Amino acid sequence: MELYVNFNLPKEAEEELGRYYKIVKGGDLSGVEVAFVYRLSPEELKKMPKLKFIQVVLAGLDHLPWEHIPPHVVVAGNAGSNADAVTEFALGLLLASYKRIIHYSEKMRRGDYDKNLEVPLLQGKKVAVLGLGEIGIRVARLLAALGAEVWGFARTPREGPWRFTSSLEEALRGAKAAVCALPLTRRTRGLIRYEHLALMAEDGVFVNVGRAEVVDREGALRIVKERPRFIFASDVWWGRNDFAKDAEFFSLPNVVATPWVAGGYGSEEVWRKMVMDAVKNLVAYATGGPVRNIARRDDYL
Amino acid sequence: MELYVNFNLPKEAEEELGRYYKIVKGGDLSGVEVAFVYRLSPEELKKMPKLKFIQVVLAGLDHLPWEHIPPHVVVAGNAGSNADAVTEFALGLLLASYKRIIHYSEKMRRGDYDKNLEVPLLQGKKVAVLGLGEIGIRVARLLAALGAEVWGFARTPREGPWRFTSSLEEALRGAKAAVCALPLTRRTRGLIRYEHLALMAEDGVFVNVGRAEVVDREGALRIVKERPRFIFASDVWWGRNDFAKDAEFFSLPNVVATPWVAGGYGSEEVWRKMVMDAVKNLVAYATGGPVRNIARRDDYL
């Protein structure tokens, strides 16, 4: 079976896949039945009329040209492969912001030693976790272990050490902190608007480690400008990797920004793990084993 | 029974103590049998010949004038009262440093969007927790929940989701991170020296939320100057609240500094909880109940 790969594979991945597939890296793709991709263009799709299965190395699938993918082609994502890394980062962004570590560390560098800002306890406080996928569940469990009153928001009920709600308003009302780990789908694009963020505590901390586009950009900008004690901490930005487009945010003292480094983009080690997890799924496809992370087409179209 | 109090009491604390003690705030201390203090001077001690019991509102007892306290006087500290707050802060300092959130957030503010530094996974990595008291135990459990390989160092073996060692060298050798929550006693003063820090990974992260003096100042300065990838993150400084004395550290890019705000000094809410926990102990002393956190005199003399 021919496998098209359009990004640099680590050697161990190439060796493993070579046992099950004939790897094709370009040229004539007319015999390709399976594609292992990072991004995928409509032009590449056109060259693969026999395509049956697309394995994406990233956890998110929002960037695929869905309208060009025929309905019979199965698409698998890679959720979970970077979940541990992103969970660590999400908890780091939350605590660095919530415990005012960023604030105080910037002040200490400037030689300003005033203890001018209260460092609140997280224990016993309402914290919303938006999205109960591989990342959200892990984050919610750790927050519960820290003693926070965790509210889990998702489309489908999931049990755990949190109060479940399918109402975004209920999750955010009065919350001292929120961690967003929602996937970007047609249902979540622009879901979190100004009026939702405004439901949080005046000095609330909103953390995003999912996709920027889940949050309405103007709503986020308005809340941080209106509420100097509110903190917006995010690893993902609307300009994607063109961070200059969102520079307006980065200069604000109550914005904590990192350049999309929570998962595979920030770490060779995590990237390698992501590739190898995806390789396992490709081997499962080739050998008739159970294939994980199959996308729901109607989430995107 | 007369109780001497030498700091501002919240109203609820004064009311509760008033039920069991006659509160004295200054003047004639000759009838005082119990003291509830923040700091205590040799001069104050001299005025209280009938003193039997000292309750300190702080978790640490290193600042007391031990050589002036008669051996028959029982001293109680307040360990545990700020443990949840300091645990949250310790985890925040660790993750903010380890996941390079401080590094990237400083870069983003400057408009530098390069992903120039690997963000390592914590999962599966060796992390040392120095001190297995109220804070150390909580930190160690959370690190274990994050999937780290936790090594617990203390004088006395304690069981938990960590490998116990009473060897500082074994705890730190090859560790990617360490969190120090040791009390400052005559045994721990200057305990952690350059050669111990040098055992850690080249890009290791050392976090201190205990007392600065547990770490040798020159050793810490040498390691951060010698190893640009090593990170020294601390809430406590040798100059205590005179932070200017340690300004040499704060300008270094691989030092993360906060101004002693992890516990009661950073939060009214935490301070109030500390006072009320200490009040409970004073009530126990007055009513013959079990008194907690009694200090071992030979830890300090």
Side-chain angles (χ1 to χ4, degrees), chain B residues 83-114:
Chain B
D84 292 311
V86 178
T87 297
E88 292 174 5
F89 203 89
L91 197 62
L93 265 184
L94 175 64
L95 289 173
S97 306
Y98 191 87
K99 303 301 286 186
R100 275 60 183 178
I101 291 168
I102 299 279
H103 169 84
Y104 278 117
S105 120
E106 288 178 350
K107 275 162 48 72
M108 293 291 269
R109 285 244 193 280
R110 294 194 303 265
D112 170 2
Y113 310 132
D114 253 22

Side-chain angles (χ1 to χ4, degrees), chain A residues 86-254:
Chain A
V86 177
T87 297
E88 292 173 5
F89 202 90
L91 197 62
L93 265 184
L94 175 63
L95 290 172
S97 306
Y98 190 87
K99 303 300 285 186
R100 273 60 183 179
I101 291 168
I102 299 280
H103 169 85
Y104 278 115
S105 121
E106 288 179 351
K107 274 162 50 73
M108 293 290 270
R109 285 241 193 282
R110 293 194 303 265
D112 170 3
Y113 309 134
D114 254 20
K115 302 180 189 191
N116 66 333
L117 219 64
E118 169 92 1
V119 176
L121 261 176
L122 190 66
Q123 191 195 48
K125 304 296 167 59
K126 178 173 179 178
V127 181
V129 175
L130 311 180
L132 294 171
E134 300 274 354
I135 296 163
I137 282 183
R138 284 168 171 81
V139 169
R141 287 201 182 119
L142 287 159
L143 289 170
L146 277 160
E149 177 196 311
V150 184
W151 287 68
F153 163 80
R155 192 165 35 151
T156 320
R158 295 199 75 157
E159 274 184 42
W162 52 75
R163 306 186 195 192
F164 176 82
T165 177
S166 56
S167 155
L168 187 56
E169 287 79 5
E170 190 179 35
L172 292 176
R173 188 168 295 118
K176 291 278 281 180
V179 177
C180 178
L182 286 163
L184 180 59
T185 67
R186 84 183 154 79
R187 285 183 191 81
T188 63
R189 185 175 292 272
L191 178 72
I192 299 160
R193 297 186 305 276
Y194 170 79
E195 57 264 39
H196 301 113
L197 299 171
L199 289 172
M200 293 179 67
E202 191 72 26
D203 60 349
V205 175
F206 187 91
V207 171
N208 195 3
V209 290
R211 286 288 182 271
E213 298 89 335
V214 169
V215 182
D216 175 64
R217 189 182 188 279
E218 296 319 303
L221 199 54
R222 185 173 160 200
I223 200 97
V224 289
K225 286 188 173 174
E226 274 183 14
R227 298 191 181 176
R229 296 169 63 222
F230 191 94
I231 300 177
F232 185 82
S234 188
D235 185 47
V236 287
W237 300 94
W238 295 270
R240 295 257 161 164
N241 276 307
D242 188 357
F243 298 104
K245 286 188 178 163
D246 295 303
E248 192 176 359
F249 280 87
F250 312 150
S251 57
L252 297 170
N254 55 339

Side-chain angles (χ1 to χ4, degrees), chain B residues 116-130:
Chain B
N116 64 334
L117 219 63
E118 170 92 2
V119 176
L121 258 177
L122 190 67
Q123 193 195 47
K125 304 297 167 56
K126 178 173 178 177
V127 181
V129 176
L130 311 180

